[in-house]
Amino acid sequence: MALSREQMARRAALELKDGDYVNLGIGIPTLVANYVPDGIRVMLQSENGLLGMGPFPTEDQVDADMINAGKQTVTAATGAAIFDSAESFAMIRGGHVDVTILGAFEVSVRGDIASWMVPGKLVKGMGGAMDLVAAARNILVIMTHADKSGASKLLDDCTLPLTGAGCIRKVLTDLAYLEIEDGAFHLRERAPGVSVEEIVSRTAGRLVVPAEVPEMRFS
Amino acid sequence: MALSREQMARRAALELKDGDYVNLGIGIPTLVANYVPDGIRVMLQSENGLLGMGPFPTEDQVDADMINAGKQTVTAATGAAIFDSAESFAMIRGGHVDVTILGAFEVSVRGDIASWMVPGKLVKGMGGAMDLVAAARNILVIMTHADKSGASKLLDDCTLPLTGAGCIRKVLTDLAYLEIEDGAFHLRERAPGVSVEEIVSRTAGRLVVPAEVPEMRFS
Amino acid sequence: MNGFDKVVGSYEEALSGLVDGMTVLAGGFGLCGIPEGLIAEIRRMGVRGLTVVSNNCGVDGFGLGVLLEDRQISKVVASYVGENKLFEQQLLSGQIEVDLTPQGTLAEKMRAGGAGIPAFFTATGYGTPVGEGKEVRHFNGRPYILEEAITGDFAIVKAWKADRYGNAIYRHTAQNFNPLAATAGRITVMEVEHIVEPGELDPAHIHTPGIYVDRLIQGSFEKRIEQRTVRAG
Amino acid sequence: MNGFDKVVGSYEEALSGLVDGMTVLAGGFGLCGIPEGLIAEIRRMGVRGLTVVSNNCGVDGFGLGVLLEDRQISKVVASYVGENKLFEQQLLSGQIEVDLTPQGTLAEKMRAGGAGIPAFFTATGYGTPVGEGKEVRHFNGRPYILEEAITGDFAIVKAWKADRYGNAIYRHTAQNFNPLAATAGRITVMEVEHIVEPGELDPAHIHTPGIYVDRLIQGSFEKRIEQRTVRAG
């Protein structure tokens, strides 16, 4: 059975190591913060200029001057630092953020990612996504394996305008965990109850299936 | 009679306007701070990272962590700001410093300046001089008109390696105040008691002498 | 009073010299840390044909969004403009032009503009529509594109506290683009919550040195919140 | 204790992994704000063939100058090296190479190295020996040269206070090149006067966010003064 949003977040959280500085995109990636394993501490970077994002404020802590990159009111964690947007992206662009987790519309076998623009629909902007994908050493894309019409989002070539070229190595979908190497998706794990056949049928891009594909674990 | 160091500093100080941010090089330029006219306030920028340099400390104020670009112990003036060296030169390079006053070995009719390197002698380095001359909108060079052997330091072409190309518009020497325009030095003022003839004889580069050359004033 | 006192007496004075067709850099991220009073004054002045450089363009009826109502903006350089229906309409009808710029590139372009760096290379945007038409060069085997600096005729920024000399401190994440815009305006106008005397701020705490600030005005701020998210206390 | 605690127990641990031939970026301006204990440890380790990137190279017998005594440095990238006779001798005898770099360009190169900007244009050095062999390009009618970023295998920096996470504050003008070097080391080692607990420093006062710091050690400092200038009290 396809993973729920919470299961995807839980599996993604296993990618985190103690001491990682992490940038989480909006949507499912944001949920990852709720599933960080015991004994692991991560520090969240918010690209508007906050390293060490804390939980949402209580009603009496709400402060218009303290927001995250999603423009939500937040708090600062103990040991946080606050800085301007050039410094924030210097940190990102310079490769200092250990892990970036973000969503996408499409990913290709070459590691291209499309996540910001659907021609014909209004273009709202890329925000910090292009900077993040161009910079992070370790990026995890979380997205559904196929779109609502059933079309695969794992492609030989992205059909939508790119957010970044050749920068993605790991993809977590509601069906599988895959790594991108040598121009192909490599199936590493399958969601519990999801067959390899189903994953194959829903993957349009070149897919390498090893002899054994373990079922995904969540802890 | 040729100007003393103090007279040169006094004349140079007349270039300052109330509210100017000023960078002073070592040597005579440093003395300019002592002759800022009444009613004029300037703020001194020290390129190691201090905007608002105060006077030298008293014995009990001496602090190894508070120095200027000449590595002298200094104090911070009221309303100072302290920052890193990239920010300091962003300020300089971006043209935010109003006036830079510095010494030179040679200046040419094209506004080239040589001030950091004499071939055959040990090269100690340019420090911040190249950044300063490339950036300031308003640079005053202070130097003797001729070197110790009597050779003019105002030339058609600099003979020494340059600090900057085409960036100098004003030169104050111990004999005269000159402006550089259209490939020539224009004699604007002569030191008290110094004849136009003497200035002409000691200026190797193309010199334009107007009909009247007023004597320099110091207030 | 002296030549370093940047305090002006009115919003009119604060934005004196701003005319049709100019480029205005604005600090703020979303509605956080925006110069509310200066934006209101630009609206009151009625100047038109502005190019506005800002990470966002406000929301309908607040922030830079109010300048859309009177069609004062002809071009926006921003990374995200999705919060604004009026913007959407004007974009679709061709009344406004938009230059979408990655957030980090936008920040770095403003910083470069203020720092006398005319252009720099960045990997951001390579292979995407942002990179189209831009020079590509490889360094250490990796492709980068050349991006040019941004400067403005005016910069309008919002700080928390500033002394009369313009030395300024921002509060929390209201810092964002403000220090960058402040460096890159030919005339930089800063609106603050508190004006203090020189010497009251620790020199090591200054975020924007006064050298970047030309005019300073004390404002009052609504500080509207876009996404009020709370947890049970 | 957790994964963000950067404090190490010894200088040996602080510089573990530093080997012959590496590039070391060092903070400090003259003798102000230099990581005295880390320099001493490099001497003790006896690593050789180092490329040192630092605005200056210390003085005879103090600061980076001590690394010259045992001929541990093969190349220096600096803006000014005039305070050091040993340096002069080694330079004239060809034992050491020097790449003189304008002070602002040096600062910007380190910042670029830390910020993922591989190269930038600057007017500094155009038409001078510094510009020789470098690409020239005109922007708005003015010539600029292309300068490339600097990064190091190690960065050694000195701060005043840091919390265990490496969030650091510098004291007065001892800031100088330290925050820049801190961003550009593959491994950044910070020596401080005071280590405090996370939360003790105001997030808005942090000069170097802890993300740049890999190892943190508390030192004791002589803080030698190069030019003691005083006025009558």
Side-chain angles (χ1 to χ4, degrees), chain A residues 8 11 54 63 72 80 97 114 120 132 134 144 149 188 202 217:
Chain A
M8 291 171 78
R11 171 62 189 85
D63 188 327
Q72 298 170 311
V97 173
L132 282 159
T144 56
S149 71
R188 300 296 186 210
R202 290 185 181 274
R217 303 178 59 155

mmCIF file of all heavy atoms in Angstrom, chain A residues 8 11 54 63 72 80 97 114 120 132 134 144 149 188 202 217:
data_model
loop_
_atom_site.group_PDB
_atom_site.id
_atom_site.type_symbol
_atom_site.label_atom_id
_atom_site.label_comp_id
_atom_site.label_asym_id
_atom_site.label_seq_id
_atom_site.Cartn_x
_atom_site.Cartn_y
_atom_site.Cartn_z
ATOM 1 N N MET A 8 5.916 8.674 4.868
ATOM 2 C CA MET A 8 7.003 9.219 4.051
ATOM 3 C C MET A 8 7.920 10.090 4.915
ATOM 4 O O MET A 8 9.148 9.998 4.824
ATOM 5 C CB MET A 8 6.423 10.026 2.878
ATOM 6 C CG MET A 8 5.724 9.149 1.840
ATOM 7 S SD MET A 8 4.799 10.102 0.589
ATOM 8 C CE MET A 8 6.149 10.633 -0.470
ATOM 9 N N ARG A 11 10.038 7.825 7.141
ATOM 10 C CA ARG A 11 11.146 7.174 6.430
ATOM 11 C C ARG A 11 12.249 8.199 6.103
ATOM 12 O O ARG A 11 13.445 7.920 6.259
ATOM 13 C CB ARG A 11 10.643 6.535 5.131
ATOM 14 C CG ARG A 11 11.744 6.022 4.202
ATOM 15 C CD ARG A 11 12.577 4.927 4.839
ATOM 16 N NE ARG A 11 13.764 4.576 4.045
ATOM 17 C CZ ARG A 11 14.925 5.193 4.103
ATOM 18 N NH1 ARG A 11 15.080 6.225 4.930
ATOM 19 N NH2 ARG A 11 15.936 4.806 3.361
ATOM 20 N N GLY A 54 12.881 26.652 15.980
ATOM 21 C CA GLY A 54 12.177 25.938 17.023
ATOM 22 C C GLY A 54 10.750 25.634 16.619
ATOM 23 O O GLY A 54 10.367 25.826 15.465
ATOM 24 N N ASP A 63 5.150 36.288 17.356
ATOM 25 C CA ASP A 63 5.888 37.519 17.093
ATOM 26 C C ASP A 63 6.017 37.676 15.579
ATOM 27 O O ASP A 63 6.582 36.826 14.897
ATOM 28 C CB ASP A 63 7.282 37.397 17.745
ATOM 29 C CG ASP A 63 8.068 38.691 17.690
ATOM 30 O OD1 ASP A 63 7.906 39.457 16.706
ATOM 31 O OD2 ASP A 63 8.844 38.939 18.618
ATOM 32 N N GLN A 72 5.470 31.288 8.176
ATOM 33 C CA GLN A 72 4.755 30.905 9.394
ATOM 34 C C GLN A 72 5.471 31.481 10.611
ATOM 35 O O GLN A 72 6.703 31.539 10.640
ATOM 36 C CB GLN A 72 4.748 29.374 9.531
ATOM 37 C CG GLN A 72 4.046 28.658 8.401
ATOM 38 C CD GLN A 72 4.284 27.159 8.468
ATOM 39 O OE1 GLN A 72 5.416 26.708 8.603
ATOM 40 N NE2 GLN A 72 3.204 26.387 8.377
ATOM 41 N N ALA A 80 20.273 29.139 18.577
ATOM 42 C CA ALA A 80 19.985 29.607 17.220
ATOM 43 C C ALA A 80 20.866 30.796 16.854
ATOM 44 O O ALA A 80 21.435 31.459 17.729
ATOM 45 C CB ALA A 80 18.514 30.008 17.109
ATOM 46 N N VAL A 97 24.976 23.355 4.578
ATOM 47 C CA VAL A 97 23.788 22.642 5.051
ATOM 48 C C VAL A 97 23.966 21.175 4.681
ATOM 49 O O VAL A 97 24.275 20.845 3.535
ATOM 50 C CB VAL A 97 22.514 23.240 4.412
ATOM 51 C CG1 VAL A 97 21.290 22.404 4.753
ATOM 52 C CG2 VAL A 97 22.325 24.686 4.871
ATOM 53 N N ALA A 114 12.415 19.095 -11.463
ATOM 54 C CA ALA A 114 11.471 20.151 -11.840
ATOM 55 C C ALA A 114 10.477 20.281 -10.705
ATOM 56 O O ALA A 114 9.858 19.291 -10.309
ATOM 57 C CB ALA A 114 10.764 19.801 -13.143
ATOM 58 N N GLY A 120 1.698 27.342 -18.547
ATOM 59 C CA GLY A 120 0.260 27.485 -18.690
ATOM 60 C C GLY A 120 -0.403 27.831 -17.380
ATOM 61 O O GLY A 120 -1.438 28.481 -17.353
ATOM 62 N N LEU A 132 18.808 26.002 -3.250
ATOM 63 C CA LEU A 132 18.944 24.813 -2.409
ATOM 64 C C LEU A 132 19.391 23.607 -3.218
ATOM 65 O O LEU A 132 20.299 22.886 -2.819
ATOM 66 C CB LEU A 132 17.623 24.522 -1.688
ATOM 67 C CG LEU A 132 17.356 25.419 -0.477
ATOM 68 C CD1 LEU A 132 15.875 25.458 -0.133
ATOM 69 C CD2 LEU A 132 18.173 24.940 0.726
ATOM 70 N N ALA A 134 20.925 23.524 -6.036
ATOM 71 C CA ALA A 134 22.234 23.715 -6.671
ATOM 72 C C ALA A 134 23.367 23.549 -5.678
ATOM 73 O O ALA A 134 24.521 23.432 -6.065
ATOM 74 C CB ALA A 134 22.307 25.100 -7.308
ATOM 75 N N THR A 144 5.062 12.026 -4.567
ATOM 76 C CA THR A 144 4.338 10.826 -4.956
ATOM 77 C C THR A 144 4.997 10.255 -6.211
ATOM 78 O O THR A 144 5.623 10.976 -6.985
ATOM 79 C CB THR A 144 2.860 11.151 -5.254
ATOM 80 O OG1 THR A 144 2.819 12.163 -6.259
ATOM 81 C CG2 THR A 144 2.144 11.626 -4.001
ATOM 82 N N SER A 149 -3.131 11.819 -12.357
ATOM 83 C CA SER A 149 -3.637 11.077 -13.527
ATOM 84 C C SER A 149 -2.929 9.733 -13.684
ATOM 85 O O SER A 149 -3.201 8.989 -14.618
ATOM 86 C CB SER A 149 -3.426 11.914 -14.792
ATOM 87 O OG SER A 149 -2.043 11.978 -15.108
ATOM 88 N N ARG A 188 15.911 0.785 -4.210
ATOM 89 C CA ARG A 188 16.580 0.336 -2.981
ATOM 90 C C ARG A 188 15.615 -0.266 -1.969
ATOM 91 O O ARG A 188 15.952 -1.168 -1.239
ATOM 92 C CB ARG A 188 17.309 1.509 -2.323
ATOM 93 C CG ARG A 188 18.394 2.151 -3.189
ATOM 94 C CD ARG A 188 19.525 1.193 -3.492
ATOM 95 N NE ARG A 188 20.610 1.854 -4.200
ATOM 96 C CZ ARG A 188 21.416 1.258 -5.074
ATOM 97 N NH1 ARG A 188 21.258 -0.026 -5.363
ATOM 98 N NH2 ARG A 188 22.380 1.927 -5.665
ATOM 99 N N ARG A 202 5.061 1.875 -12.630
ATOM 100 C CA ARG A 202 4.816 3.312 -12.401
ATOM 101 C C ARG A 202 6.081 4.173 -12.549
ATOM 102 O O ARG A 202 6.058 5.353 -12.209
ATOM 103 C CB ARG A 202 4.218 3.515 -11.013
ATOM 104 C CG ARG A 202 2.793 2.988 -10.906
ATOM 105 C CD ARG A 202 2.179 3.313 -9.565
ATOM 106 N NE ARG A 202 0.833 2.781 -9.455
ATOM 107 C CZ ARG A 202 -0.258 3.438 -9.881
ATOM 108 N NH1 ARG A 202 -0.150 4.626 -10.420
ATOM 109 N NH2 ARG A 202 -1.449 2.888 -9.751
ATOM 110 N N ARG A 217 11.741 0.066 6.078
ATOM 111 C CA ARG A 217 11.552 0.088 7.533
ATOM 112 C C ARG A 217 11.455 1.524 7.989
ATOM 113 O O ARG A 217 11.952 2.429 7.331
ATOM 114 C CB ARG A 217 12.720 -0.622 8.218
ATOM 115 C CG ARG A 217 12.863 -2.065 7.719
ATOM 116 C CD ARG A 217 14.034 -2.736 8.355
ATOM 117 N NE ARG A 217 13.881 -2.756 9.812
ATOM 118 C CZ ARG A 217 14.459 -3.652 10.592
ATOM 119 N NH1 ARG A 217 15.239 -4.593 10.083
ATOM 120 N NH2 ARG A 217 14.292 -3.624 11.896
#
